[in-house]
Amino acid sequence: MNEQSDAQAMQFGIMSVSDITRDPTTGITPSEQERIKATTAIARHAEEVGLDVFAVGEHHNPPFWSSSPATFLASVAAQTQRLIVSTSTTLITTNDPVRIAEEYAMLQHVSDGRMDLMLGRGNTGPVYPWFGQDIRQGLPLAIENYALLHKLWREDVVDWEGKFRTPLQGFTSTPRPLDGIAPFVWHGSIRTPEIAEQAAYYGDGFFANNIFWPKEHYQRLIELYRQRFEHYGHGTREQAVVGLGGQVFMAANSQDAVNTFRPYFDNAPVYGHGPSMEDFTEMTPLTVGSPQQVIDRYAAMRDYYGDYQRQLFLIDHAGLPLKTVLEQLDILGAEVVPVLRKELAKNRPASVPNAPTHAARVAAEFGDGPTRQARPGANRGDNLTGDSPYQDDAPAAAGAGLGLGHKEN
């Protein structure tokens, strides 16, 4: 068995899609501010009950509120002590990679490294023209934009020419990554093998949504990622870094859970009026029942996907009131996650990496030596007074890679 602690081996947390949905049992729809404040309380309570991660998605249309995840996560980081804040997901296709580089490096600094981000194409088609992009270019945008983002975090001065944005010449993204270590990136996908390939190419993490499809669908994506991770020389397939989503609703008595959650399931826009709750729970990882049923279901995920590093649960959607969500967190923290930590640590090979943290990645890069502390030099602000506008040079990038239309200058 691995000598690492269970908490280091795997991270458990929750992810919010930030929906504002009418509570079908009361007829009340919360305001945007009420929902934002409630989600802040949920994130704080996630830390209080012993979870490791809080993640929020990005949306730019009603009924969702999370149009600026970096702003919200900075607030959460300021109100917590050890919680890792993350996105689920950041839209690599419609956000300018320069702004992603700046905003999430800033979040890295203000959270003292307690952050990472998940990148994805998004699944709301109209968002592309809202931000001046063509949905038919979704994959090329994802590939080129991440190649630029990857470069911006690893080189102090960047020259860039691509297909989808104006060229960059002598550009420096500020602030530089904390301690000289770029934020850890997960590539999230529901259905796209090219995104699994992208994650493998860079040696980044791959996050499978694991909510709306049968396990066989995600098995194919994760297996592809693991194979290609090994192909690109980042380690063995078992050393690939995998995260999973999931969704649960619990009560001490399983029938009480079913009775309580049914009106929310039946009326939720995301899956209401489709398959019955019983059919949906059979076909997908949604588990509605007792804590032991959740433990049994999610302890078995390793049998399907191999040892993995992060498990996030969706619990705050479909109009569920704040009080109910906090009670779900209490059950997760007290009865479910401690058991899952132990179960998923059993017979975990020593070669399987721990869940990624900033501190561990800094130690791997610098050992006990000093980290990079970026200090600007006496430059005019145009990056043209030397090789770098900083007193020390960042290490050269390991590679830009996968840049459709990308030209190295």
Side-chain angles (χ1 to χ4, degrees):
M1 180 175 169
N2 204 334
E3 294 297 323
Q4 66 204 12
S5 73
D6 296 347
Q8 292 173 320
M10 277 197 67
Q11 294 164 347
F12 291 88
I14 57 173
M15 56 182 182
S16 175
V17 294
S18 82
D19 64 308
I20 303 175
T21 303
R22 173 181 173 272
D23 184 334
T25 68
T26 65
I28 295 173
T29 301
S31 70
E32 290 175 328
Q33 185 182 39
E34 287 171 337
R35 184 74 169 95
I36 292 168
K37 295 293 188 182
T39 311
T40 302
I42 290 165
R44 290 198 305 263
H45 199 52
E47 178 175 88
E48 291 167 356
V49 302
L51 302 188
D52 309 303
V53 182
F54 172 83
V56 68
E58 177 184 347
H59 295 279
H60 297 276
N61 57 294
F64 305 99
W65 59 260
S66 58
S67 59
S68 181
T71 304
F72 181 75
L73 293 175
S75 173
V76 170
Q79 298 178 61
T80 54
Q81 298 297 317
R82 61 170 190 81
L83 192 71
I84 296 171
V85 295
S86 183
T87 57
S88 63
T89 62
T90 297
L91 303 180
I92 189 62
T93 47
T94 52
N95 281 299
D96 184 346
V98 171
R99 284 301 290 151
I100 295 177
E102 294 174 336
E103 288 186 349
Y104 287 95
M106 179 66 76
L107 178 60
Q108 190 188 34
H109 279 271
V110 301
S111 68
D112 293 324
R114 292 186 291 116
M115 61 77 65
D116 50 41
L117 73 161
M118 186 193 306
L119 299 176
R121 292 192 300 147
N123 55 16
T124 305
V127 75
Y128 283 80
W130 293 342
F131 290 89
Q133 301 295 350
D134 184 345
I135 192 172
R136 294 170 295 183
Q137 299 298 321
L139 272 173
L141 276 164
I143 292 168
E144 180 178 294
N145 283 356
Y146 184 60
L148 175 53
L149 175 61
H150 190 270
K151 188 178 181 74
L152 288 167
W153 276 337
R154 289 163 176 81
E155 298 181 22
D156 282 353
V157 181
V158 170
D159 293 334
W160 173 270
E161 184 176 333
K163 178 180 178 182
F164 297 108
R165 73 170 330 277
T166 54
L168 296 173
Q169 184 174 6
F171 177 76
T172 298
S173 174
T174 60
R176 303 308 300 147
L178 178 66
D179 298 315
I181 299 294
F184 186 82
V185 169
W186 303 84
H187 299 258
S189 178
I190 294 176
R191 59 186 174 272
T192 309
E194 290 87 349
I195 299 302
E197 174 79 13
Q198 185 182 42
Y201 180 90
Y202 286 100
D204 295 335
F206 179 70
F207 188 90
N209 174 276
N210 200 35
I211 288 178
F212 295 115
W213 297 75
K215 62 182 181 299
E216 292 80 9
H217 173 80
Y218 296 107
Q219 281 178 309
R220 289 190 290 269
L221 285 173
I222 291 172
E223 180 59 26
L224 171 64
Y225 162 67
R226 289 188 184 277
Q227 290 175 358
R228 300 301 286 173
F229 182 95
E230 184 172 71
H231 168 81
Y232 287 118
H234 299 298
T236 66
R237 61 183 306 283
E238 291 79 12
Q239 293 173 314
V241 181
V242 172
L244 296 176
Q247 53 183 329
V248 299
F249 188 86
M250 298 167 288
N253 180 288
S254 60
Q255 191 59 50
D256 289 341
V258 169
N259 293 340
T260 302
F261 189 64
R262 188 179 300 281
Y264 295 96
F265 179 92
D266 288 346
N267 292 279
V270 70
Y271 42 41
H273 312 293
S276 69
M277 188 168 71
E278 285 74 15
D279 287 344
F280 199 85
T281 55
E282 182 178 347
M283 293 185 294
T284 77
L286 172 63
T287 305
V288 181
S290 68
Q292 188 59 52
Q293 286 175 293
V294 171
I295 290 167
D296 293 343
R297 191 91 181 268
Y298 282 86
M301 292 297 171
R302 181 169 58 175
D303 298 335
Y304 308 136
Y305 306 118
D307 288 290
Y308 61 111
Q309 282 72 28
R310 178 174 286 185
Q311 175 68 62
L312 301 183
F313 296 102
L314 175 62
I315 63 169
D316 76 323
H317 62 132
L320 289 165
L322 174 60
K323 179 177 182 293
T324 301
V325 175
L326 297 181
E327 290 168 351
Q328 291 294 299
L329 278 172
D330 289 337
I331 299 171
L332 268 180
E335 301 181 51
V336 174
V337 167
V339 179
L340 284 177
R341 287 194 197 277
K342 293 177 181 178
E343 289 298 316
L344 292 172
K346 289 179 181 177
N347 302 315
R348 188 180 180 96
S351 59
V352 174
N354 292 352
T357 64
H358 180 74
R361 296 173 69 234
V362 167
E365 179 70 22
F366 297 104
D368 294 329
T371 62
R372 187 190 190 197
Q373 301 299 313
R375 294 182 172 85
N379 65 87
R380 299 195 305 270
D382 58 10
N383 298 348
L384 299 178
T385 55
D387 293 335
S388 169
Y390 289 88
Q391 295 176 34
D392 64 308
D393 292 332
L402 275 184
L404 294 182
H406 173 210
K407 182 177 73 176
E408 292 288 340
N409 295 301

